[in-house]
Amino acid sequence: MTATEPETTVEITVDGAAVDAKPGEMLIAACERSGTYIPRFCYHSRMSPVGMCRMCLVEVDTGRGFALQPSCMVPVSEGMKVSTESEAAKKAQDGVLEFLLINHPLDCPVCDKGGECPLQDQTMAYGPGETRFVEEKRHFPKPIAISETVFLDRERCILCDRCTRFADEVAGDALIHFMGRGNHTEVNTFTGEPFASYFSGNTVQICPVGALTAAPYRFKARPWDLTESLSTAWVDSLGSRVAVQASRNRVLRVLGADADAVNWGWLSDKERFGFEALNSEARLPAPKIRAEADSDSREFRRAGWGEALEAVADALRAASPERVAVLGGARLTNEAQYMWAKLAKGVVGTDNVDSQLGDGLDPRLVLGLPRATIDDACRPGGTVLLVGPDPKEELPTLYLRLRHAIVNDGVRLVEVTPHATGLSHLAEHSLRPRPGTTAELVRALVLATDPDVLRSAAMEEPVLGALAAGSKSDRVSELRAALTTAETSFGTDRAGIESAARALSGAQGGLVAVLGRMSLAEPADILDDAARDLSRLPSVRVLPALRRGNAMGALEAGLAPDLVPGRMRLEEVGDGAPLAGCWPRLPASPGLDASGILRAAARGDIDVLVLLGADPLNDFVDRDLAYRGLRGASVVVAVDLFENDSVSLAARIVLPAAGPTECDGTFTNLEGRVSIMSRKVTPPGTARADWMIAADLSERLEPGSTDGLDPPQAIRAELARVSEVHAPLTEEALTQNHLEGVLLAGVGATGEAGGWHGGKEWRRSRRQAAPVTGPAGREDDPEAPAEGLNEGEFLLVATRTMYDDGMMLRHCPSSRDLAAAAAARINPADADRAGVEVGAAVRVVSDFGHIEATLTTDAGVPAGSLRVDWLAPGAPANRLIAAGTDVTVVRVEAW
């Protein structure tokens, strides 16, 4: 259907009134859109209808007279007549409820669903006034912990099939099933197979009775005790819309909000239960200051805000701008990010600012390439190229959207990932580049999409001279070389590349590339080169798979080197630009990224290092460099929720910040959609919102620099004045699109597809950065590995997982034990070459460090590679990696 064709409808009659319905939609949905509610239990608009509960029985006449039919199973048709209020329909609904209540316990006063239970509500509205049964109800042992976070009370279950359908159809984790037959049918898990799904909490939210309850909320409150506000999840960059519910100044529950453009009401358990960390007793309640390094005591002491802020201001006044650096900021709201960018770049005058901590993408690449939306990636019949991390682990709600699109809407998926992902079994083509070869494999894939080039590359050399265009000859030669390399080095055969290329070249309506860091053991430069090649494909659009919460908002606000709000470089800001009128000054020259900042700090060239919700010891790709950088900086200032490992090691001044549910603001997700974040509770102790801290410091350093920037609305207004990109971000627009948010323009002033620093010269200069020194330091830049691998050697793949030993998860009681123990995964074909028995405890050793793990096999890991989790408890992968290395060679030793 083209954009000019009118949408077709069919006319039906509902209780005597004419209603326009969409062809093929279910009767229950058409009635609800027209304002007629039909009671239901099993029906859910995001899952397939099954007609299990029969609560939605209504009388339907399709030309043969009225008959009772389940409205969730009947598609509308022209001329259909429906009666939802007839005596037959009412009697049927009354009977369904009577039978459901035969064995249902009357424990509403102690049931967590009490007060928001559809069974309660519909019994009152449609059910019998009294029961005719006096027999003993059935009983089961209760509750059953079917997972770490979900409990099951079987006697309350009405067999609606919602939880089992969600697990199977939506999450793809069919771990909860119907068991037994007849009157003995129940929902449960198989023995030894818990409901270990990343999305189990969704079954609690969609359960229409109290059969499934969540451990973090169980017996905590009643619905009438709770107040609710619409907000945005802060765990990853997808920005799922959520409803935050609190009682007595404490967040007790987070529910998914059904935003069509984003998460469809679904949440990962990390998003749903992550609020537990915000309620932790370990939260920082007040500023702390540590004694000077040469003092007898290095313990923190509690301080007032005035003393702490003045100490930070004094340190900033005493340092020259180029000796000040800021790391982090991706967890902040857009308003806080803008205020910190203004403080660092516009007041202090330093451009040493990096919110991505070395594990993201080139900012100019992210902001310059044509942007895709989540809906673009999931458009029926489309094609998605995944050159990035496993969405199930790092962007779980995006995984649910992509999975639905592949299974139900005919979306074709082509993977280029260093290991199997949660979507691999659904992918049409999966290519597994070995570490360091991703860019070359993508180049071969892109070249092979041109059928003429691919055909000529298969011919003999003399044929090349017959080609008219010299550029075509170059591309043919390049493809031939890439295909040869693919077969000899990638472990990928030519046929696999060709078939994947045909899928990309046949993409209908354009191609969406989901682009992100696959292995943190490889530098971002490799992905930059791959993105440049992908930009050569016609109609390609990119969905950046950034992992850190508000990473996109940080880049849009200028929390990156050589970048200011409006997606402009420093040199592009003229004297008459709005930014120049709002900021007292600008940095004199482009600054350092995270790696450069830590190297400079390790050399003693950084006087003040500010950590904005950052923990470089665990977040940065090189733990040794992070350690030396933290120890080498003269003054480390931390603005955070907790005293993390980096704060404990090196911070001089610690400022407590408000959490995501404790301040107002906005959030920008990976597609550039801005949505509201709402304050629901007050922060603990005297903790302040991040933007307030930045504003106070700005005033101390440059009086008048923050005049009029008191509430977040005023900050948004200034951001909209200085940045054309944010101009549509008005209060009216946010109010009108309260659920869906406001989508910013896809391409900014950069407009290029080559990345920020562009070209091979920048890559070489970055590789040859000055060596750093320090305790246990590496004096020389790491060398590239030899061509071949010796016995017992592997190329390292380091990937993030949903559950790890991160600071927030450490303070989530229901989730902190879900992080898997450290494992070294190799391909089964490499089991003999490892020299150690599979299942044994081993030491994974590189030239830079080692970790202890258990050796396991995984067919999803390419031969010659070894995969480890990024932050497994007691075994952080960044002990093995040196910043700037193309590949990391590791050895497996018995331990």
Side-chain angles (χ1 to χ4, degrees):
M1 184 176 67
T2 66
T4 58
E5 291 177 348
E7 184 177 358
T8 59
T9 61
V10 296
E11 185 176 289
I12 63 175
T13 302
V14 179
D15 295 331
V19 171
D20 288 332
K22 300 174 183 177
E25 75 174 325
M26 294 302 166
L27 176 58
I28 191 171
C31 289
E32 187 166 9
R33 281 194 305 102
S34 68
T36 301
Y37 179 81
I38 299 175
R40 80 290 302 265
F41 292 116
C42 67
Y43 174 77
H44 192 285
S45 60
R46 299 296 187 187
M47 296 185 291
S48 62
V50 289
M52 291 285 288
C53 70
R54 282 333 205 219
M55 189 64 205
C56 66
L57 287 171
V58 294
E59 284 201 292
V60 180
D61 179 8
T62 56
R64 299 181 180 179
F66 281 100
L68 285 173
Q69 297 190 48
S71 58
C72 71
M73 298 290 290
V74 177
V76 296
S77 60
E78 185 67 39
M80 175 184 285
K81 297 179 181 179
V82 181
S83 175
T84 67
E85 297 290 337
S86 69
E87 286 300 318
K90 290 180 178 180
K91 184 174 178 58
Q93 292 164 357
D94 182 287
V96 167
L97 284 166
E98 185 175 24
F99 277 110
L100 286 177
L101 293 172
I102 291 175
N103 273 307
H104 196 86
L106 300 179
D107 61 351
C108 299
V110 297
C111 176
D112 266 322
K113 202 72 173 182
E116 57 182 5
C117 175
L119 182 58
Q120 276 185 340
D121 297 339
Q122 293 182 35
T123 298
M124 293 295 293
Y126 306 96
E130 58 185 23
T131 180
R132 292 182 289 171
F133 290 88
V134 295
E135 290 78 11
E136 179 73 12
K137 295 177 183 289
R138 67 183 170 195
H139 302 281
F140 293 102
K142 56 181 292 186
I144 297 174
I146 59 174
S147 75
E148 294 288 334
T149 52
V150 177
F151 292 167
L152 170 64
D153 291 272
R154 288 174 290 173
E155 69 275 19
R156 295 177 185 162
C157 180
I158 61 172
L159 303 180
C160 69
D161 199 27
R162 277 191 174 191
C163 58
T164 53
R165 271 182 295 153
F166 172 85
D168 183 25
E169 296 178 7
V170 181
D173 299 325
L175 300 172
I176 186 168
H177 314 263
F178 282 130
M179 298 180 178
R181 302 183 67 181
N183 189 47
H184 299 288
T185 305
E186 64 181 63
V187 166
N188 212 327
T189 60
F190 289 115
T191 303
E193 296 184 17
F195 190 25
S197 171
Y198 287 165
F199 311 98
S200 62
N202 292 285
T203 62
V204 177
Q205 181 172 339
I206 65 176
C207 180
V209 291
L212 295 172
T213 53
Y217 178 72
R218 189 176 172 90
F219 301 139
K220 293 294 192 304
R222 286 287 178 257
W224 51 84
D225 295 329
L226 302 172
T227 58
E228 178 180 293
S229 62
L230 187 66
S231 191
T232 304
W234 55 90
V235 169
D236 58 43
S237 63
L238 193 84
S240 300
R241 304 295 282 139
V242 296
V244 179
Q245 298 180 339
S247 178
R248 300 177 296 280
N249 199 39
R250 188 178 180 88
V251 175
L252 296 181
R253 188 165 61 172
V254 171
L255 302 176
D258 197 350
D260 263 345
V262 189
N263 60 308
W264 283 15
W266 310 131
L267 294 178
S268 69
D269 287 357
K270 191 173 181 181
E271 293 170 298
R272 185 178 299 275
F273 303 129
F275 72 88
E276 289 183 297
L278 305 179
N279 294 334
S280 171
E281 296 297 326
R283 286 283 301 276
L284 293 168
K288 298 194 294 186
I289 298 179
R290 202 193 307 252
E292 299 290 339
D294 55 359
S295 173
D296 293 336
S297 173
R298 289 284 289 153
E299 296 297 320
F300 283 112
R301 65 175 177 85
R302 192 161 179 156
W305 273 100
E307 179 188 5
L309 289 171
E310 195 57 37
V312 177
D314 288 342
L316 292 172
R317 291 189 193 100
S320 57
E322 68 276 6
R323 297 179 69 87
V324 176
V326 178
L327 284 176
R331 71 159 177 80
L332 278 57
T333 63
N334 292 333
E335 294 75 15
Q337 289 167 343
Y338 173 75
M339 291 301 292
W340 275 99
K342 184 173 183 176
L343 168 61
K345 301 189 177 191
V347 176
V348 175
T350 181
D351 195 50
N352 301 326
V353 178
D354 192 347
S355 59
Q356 297 193 89
L357 278 82
D359 66 358
L361 301 175
D362 187 309
R364 293 281 295 227
L365 190 71
V366 174
L367 300 179
L369 288 173
R371 186 85 52 80
T373 66
I374 299 169
D375 281 344
D376 290 335
C378 300
R379 182 164 289 118
T383 303
V384 172
L385 173 63
L386 174 61
V387 186
D390 184 350
K392 190 172 185 178
E393 298 287 348
E394 299 198 27
L395 296 166
T397 313
L398 177 61
Y399 160 80
L400 294 183
R401 292 290 312 272
L402 289 174
R403 186 183 186 281
H404 180 275
I406 296 168
V407 172
N408 298 285
D409 298 327
V411 170
R412 306 168 73 188
L413 175 66
V414 177
E415 282 189 330
V416 181
T417 59
H419 61 89
T421 72
L423 292 171
S424 292
H425 66 291
L426 299 173
E428 192 169 296
H429 303 281
S430 293
L431 305 178
R432 300 277 179 257
R434 292 176 181 170
T437 65
T438 302
E440 287 78 3
L441 181 53
V442 169
R443 184 173 299 116
L445 189 61
V446 170
L447 289 168
T449 58
D450 187 330
D452 293 335
V453 171
L454 181 62
R455 187 164 47 251
S456 300
M459 300 177 183
E460 296 299 324
E461 190 68 31
V463 179
L464 296 177
L467 294 173
S471 59
K472 179 68 73 66
S473 299
D474 294 340
R475 295 184 67 192
V476 170
S477 301
E478 189 178 0
L479 176 59
R480 182 182 290 118
L483 291 173
T484 301
T485 305
E487 293 180 320
T488 59
S489 300
F490 302 164
T492 305
D493 61 6
R494 175 189 177 116
I497 295 177
E498 292 178 4
S499 58
R502 282 193 290 271
L504 298 183
S505 62
Q508 300 296 320
L511 171 69
V512 173
V514 179
L515 192 67
R517 291 287 289 278
M518 297 174 287
S519 169
L520 297 176
E522 298 175 295
D525 304 350
I526 292 176
L527 206 59
D528 295 348
D529 291 343
R532 291 187 183 94
D533 287 310
L534 286 175
S535 67
R536 295 159 60 177
L537 292 172
S539 304
V540 68
R541 286 170 293 171
V542 173
L543 188 63
L546 302 177
R547 179 180 185 272
R548 298 185 182 278
N550 196 11
M552 186 64 71
L555 299 182
E556 300 279 15
L559 283 180
D562 196 23
L563 190 67
V564 294
R567 303 175 189 166
M568 294 189 297
R569 301 178 66 174
L570 289 172
E571 63 184 23
E572 296 171 340
V573 183
D575 293 337
L579 186 69
C582 291
W583 287 17
R585 62 182 59 83
L586 286 172
S589 61
L592 303 171
D593 62 5
S595 180
I597 289 170
L598 290 171
R599 288 179 183 272
R603 294 194 302 268
D605 292 339
I606 297 294
D607 292 335
V608 181
L609 175 61
V610 180
L611 304 179
L612 290 180
D615 183 8
L617 277 180
N618 293 316
D619 291 342
F620 188 63
V621 294
D622 185 337
R623 192 178 186 89
D624 177 82
L625 178 55
Y627 175 86
R628 289 179 285 120
L630 290 168
R631 299 293 289 179
S634 300
V635 177
V636 177
V637 179
V639 183
D640 214 320
L641 308 178
F642 299 95
E643 183 179 325
N644 59 40
D645 294 344
S646 298
V647 171
S648 299
L649 173 70
R652 178 82 62 80
I653 306 165
V654 183
L655 305 177
T661 60
E662 298 158 2
C663 56
D664 291 317
T666 54
F667 181 104
T668 305
N669 78 347
L670 51 78
E671 61 183 347
R673 187 177 301 276
V674 180
S675 55
I676 289 290
M677 297 189 73
S678 300
R679 171 175 174 166
K680 192 61 200 163
V681 295
T682 58
T686 61
R688 296 184 181 181
D690 296 272
W691 69 265
M692 293 182 181
I693 299 173
D696 204 330
L697 287 171
S698 296
E699 280 298 313
R700 291 170 186 269
L701 297 172
E702 187 80 30
S705 59
T706 60
D707 285 350
L709 299 182
D710 189 3
Q713 292 86 342
I715 301 173
R716 283 199 291 272
E718 179 170 300
L719 179 58
R721 287 198 303 272
V722 303
S723 167
E724 292 184 6
V725 175
H726 293 87
L729 197 62
T730 63
E731 298 305 311
E732 181 182 3
L734 286 172
T735 301
Q736 289 178 348
N737 301 280
H738 196 52
L739 181 62
E740 302 291 336
V742 178
L743 188 64
L744 300 180
V747 178
T750 61
E752 62 183 64
W756 188 348
H757 302 278
K760 299 290 183 182
E761 290 185 4
W762 171 76
R763 291 185 62 185
R764 286 197 295 271
S765 65
R766 197 178 103 164
R767 295 276 200 278
Q768 298 169 357
V772 297
T773 59
R778 298 185 287 269
E779 297 295 332
D780 301 316
D781 280 345
E783 297 180 356
E787 288 295 326
L789 293 173
N790 298 321
E791 194 75 13
E793 289 185 339
F794 299 89
L795 299 179
L796 181 66
V797 176
T799 57
R800 292 193 182 273
T801 54
M802 180 181 293
Y803 295 115
D804 56 24
D805 195 34
M807 185 56 58
M808 295 294 282
L809 281 170
R810 290 183 197 176
H811 294 94
C812 290
S814 66
S815 307
R816 61 188 170 205
D817 295 327
L818 296 179
R825 301 176 180 88
I826 60 173
N827 191 281
D830 290 330
D832 293 336
R833 195 171 68 83
V836 181
E837 185 178 352
V838 173
V842 297
R843 177 172 287 174
V844 181
V845 183
S846 74
D847 291 340
F848 320 116
H850 69 273
I851 62 172
E852 287 77 36
T854 301
L855 186 66
T856 63
T857 57
D858 183 350
V861 178
S865 297
L866 182 146
R867 178 188 168 201
V868 297
D869 295 338
W870 174 251
L871 199 57
N878 59 356
R879 288 180 182 168
L880 303 171
I881 305 167
T885 53
D886 281 331
V887 293
T888 299
V889 177
V890 295
R891 303 178 299 281
V892 176
E893 301 174 353
W895 178 57

